[in-house]
Amino acid sequence: MEPIHTKGNHFYRGNSRFLIKGISYIPRHIDPENHRSIYSSDTIVDALADDRLEELKRDIPIFQELGLNTIQVTGLDPTRSHAKAMHLLAEAGIYVLVEIGHKIKTPAASHAGRRMDPNFDTSRYYTLFVMRRAFRIVDQLADHPNLLAFTADAEMITSPDMTKMAEVCRAAVRDVKTLLQLRGGRRPPVGVHTSDIAGLEMSMLQYFTAGPAESRVDFFAKDCYSWASPSDFQMSGWSSMVEAYGRFPVPMFLAEFGTNINERKWDEIPCLYSPDMTGVYSGGCVYTYFEHGNQYGIAEIGEGFSVGEDGETIGIGERGERVKKEEFGRLKEGLRMVGERTSEQLFTEEVKDYEGWTGTFPAVQGSWHATANLPDLPASVEAMYEEIWKEREEQVRGGVQQLGIENS
């Protein structure tokens, strides 16, 4: 597969624009009593680990049936190998967006109704534990041609009191970029994933894109749930979003979209992949693949059939089967129509200059508290990369020794 890169405010595969047609792919642990997935941040399963390969093989044909070219994953375990999964996805033509930093700790909520101090010390929350995990995932995956990008998780910024955490997220972007430079080889884009919080969106965009290229994001991805069918480019607020965000020449995509407030008709798909949007946005990721009880999944995991006391059938599908929800067909049709569009029907070729952009940081006032002063890791990135390098050497030596034992 040809690696994806950024140029100006767009993503490219070779010399051609690349639009992300993706989906959030976050499997979770199954409750052993009722065989249903458990929905919490602590139950995320490593989607690309070797012990999930058979599950992934079930899902790849469905990605292809939908016409997707990207999956978005989080919670990868750096102690596990992900090479086999990446190769399977590459063979299927699927790129991977990998989110890092999902275990970043945040300040505790205020007690007794007291407002939290928004000017807390961010160095307490930028820890070796989180970045050791992130660096090892980056080192594992960076050279895979279908690794689309790494994304720092900034979804914890949901109120003015939490905006200081932007310093932690930006520090993670800075240090991942430093690690990629130290290790050599391919240097995939490194960006940020933010929540869609009224009153904070523009400040977050301004903050993460300001300053030198070494610490600013290579792309900006935000959640967007404002399109509730029936809607259109104007009613959804997307036209205003394009006008406001278009002033920033950074590559962008929708990190999550697809509200379930009304019936999910997926009529936003034709709009997202049209010149109305693609001058600013390079597609996005549907939320989400698996149904976890929140009515956002497009497929449910079969529970296996059983019969209750009243004779009623309980459960859906064969155990482990992927049961497509009604909206699946509408999403598939929308993406099929997009796939048949010509370049002229998808986008214009205008490219804005992000390489020469410096921007300005938002003023620290009102609802915004993050500054350009970023926390440092307790250990240098160079020292942490040396750790990784030594671990790699030990693994190679161990592999050679094991090969000698097997051949003896």
Side-chain angles (χ1 to χ4, degrees):
M1 291 182 73
E2 191 163 10
I4 304 301
H5 65 278
T6 59
K7 182 175 69 174
N9 61 323
H10 301 313
F11 290 87
Y12 285 85
R13 179 165 52 195
N15 295 320
S16 301
R17 281 281 306 272
F18 179 79
L19 298 179
I20 295 169
K21 292 186 283 188
I23 197 164
S24 175
Y25 183 65
I26 308 175
R28 298 177 187 272
H29 289 292
I30 302 296
D31 188 320
E33 293 187 3
N34 60 23
H35 305 291
R36 294 173 182 255
S37 60
I38 307 167
Y39 186 75
S40 82
S41 59
D42 297 324
T43 60
I44 293 173
V45 173
D46 186 332
L48 306 183
D50 284 351
D51 61 3
R52 273 206 86 257
L53 284 179
E54 293 307 311
E55 296 297 303
L56 183 62
K57 288 176 183 177
R58 289 177 184 249
D59 297 318
I60 286 175
I62 300 176
F63 301 155
Q64 294 174 310
E65 180 185 353
L66 278 171
L68 301 173
N69 61 21
T70 302
I71 62 170
Q72 182 171 221
V73 300
T74 189
L76 301 190
D77 182 347
T79 67
R80 298 183 174 196
S81 171
H82 304 95
K84 292 179 181 177
M86 293 298 288
H87 287 309
L88 280 175
L89 289 161
E91 288 173 357
I94 305 293
Y95 290 93
V96 185
L97 282 162
V98 175
E99 193 168 80
I100 56 176
H102 77 288
K103 286 187 175 290
I104 290 177
K105 291 188 176 180
T106 58
S110 59
H111 298 285
R114 289 177 295 182
R115 186 171 177 267
M116 184 178 76
D117 179 6
N119 295 305
F120 53 85
D121 179 7
T122 53
S123 65
R124 297 176 55 191
Y125 304 99
Y126 192 49
T127 64
L128 286 176
F129 170 75
V130 169
M131 293 312 294
R132 273 198 174 102
R133 293 178 62 90
F135 285 166
R136 280 155 178 77
I137 288 297
V138 169
D139 184 63
Q140 263 194 38
L141 300 181
D143 290 328
H144 285 273
N146 63 324
L147 187 286
L148 198 161
F150 295 109
T151 310
D153 180 9
E155 288 185 285
M156 79 290 287
I157 304 173
T158 57
S159 68
D161 288 355
M162 290 294 289
T163 55
K164 194 81 169 166
M165 286 300 295
E167 295 176 6
V168 175
C169 300
R170 184 166 173 135
V173 170
R174 174 200 64 195
D175 291 343
V176 166
K177 284 189 167 189
T178 300
L179 179 79
L180 288 169
Q181 184 175 18
L182 287 171
R183 72 186 294 279
R186 183 172 171 238
R187 294 165 65 177
V190 184
V192 69
H193 175 175
T194 70
S195 298
D196 187 11
I197 305 299
L200 296 180
E201 308 103 312
M202 293 304 298
S203 294
M204 284 197 278
L205 177 57
Q206 185 178 351
Y207 180 81
F208 285 113
T209 58
E214 292 77 15
S215 65
R216 74 180 184 204
V217 296
D218 296 324
F219 63 87
F220 185 85
K222 83 177 187 86
D223 300 342
C224 184
Y225 292 96
S226 61
W227 186 301
S229 299
S231 191
D232 59 28
F233 185 53
Q234 302 293 332
M235 290 171 57
S236 63
W238 283 17
S239 60
S240 299
M241 184 171 69
V242 164
E243 182 180 358
Y245 279 47
R247 294 186 281 114
F248 294 80
V250 61
M252 289 187 251
F253 62 90
L254 300 186
E256 296 176 6
F257 71 94
T259 185
N260 65 1
I261 290 176
N262 298 326
E263 183 181 25
R264 296 173 103 184
K265 296 182 178 179
W266 298 111
D267 47 7
E268 67 263 54
I269 294 287
C271 180
L272 180 58
Y273 299 95
S274 75
D276 282 341
M277 292 289 288
T278 56
V280 175
Y281 287 95
S282 293
C285 294
V286 167
Y287 186 81
T288 181
Y289 183 78
F290 292 106
E291 176 56 55
H292 300 300
N294 61 358
Q295 301 306 308
Y296 272 98
I298 63 165
E300 298 184 80
I301 301 176
E303 305 162 8
F305 292 106
S306 61
V307 179
E309 294 180 359
D310 57 0
E312 181 184 1
T313 299
I314 301 172
I316 57 164
E318 298 293 335
R319 181 69 58 83
E321 176 190 0
R322 274 43 174 171
V323 181
K324 300 166 187 173
K325 295 171 69 175
E326 183 181 350
E327 68 188 70
F328 182 96
R330 295 191 290 270
L331 177 59
K332 175 181 173 180
E333 178 62 14
L335 290 170
R336 183 194 65 77
M337 293 173 62
V338 167
E340 294 177 350
R341 288 180 172 175
T342 65
S343 295
E344 291 75 16
Q345 293 171 317
L346 286 172
F347 39 68
T348 62
E349 290 299 326
E350 180 187 4
V351 180
K352 298 175 182 176
D353 176 26
Y354 187 50
E355 288 74 15
W357 168 270
T358 55
T360 56
F361 286 92
V364 178
Q365 61 183 14
S367 61
W368 189 257
H369 303 281
T371 72
N373 298 317
L374 308 182
D376 291 319
L377 276 172
S380 70
V381 179
E382 290 79 5
M384 297 188 76
Y385 178 62
E386 189 174 341
E387 278 185 13
I388 294 172
W389 181 257
K390 288 179 179 177
E391 288 172 6
R392 264 203 249 130
E393 288 185 321
E394 290 173 4
Q395 289 168 359
V396 170
R397 284 198 298 269
V400 171
Q401 292 172 355
Q402 181 64 33
L403 183 62
I405 292 170
E406 291 174 352
N407 291 337
S408 62

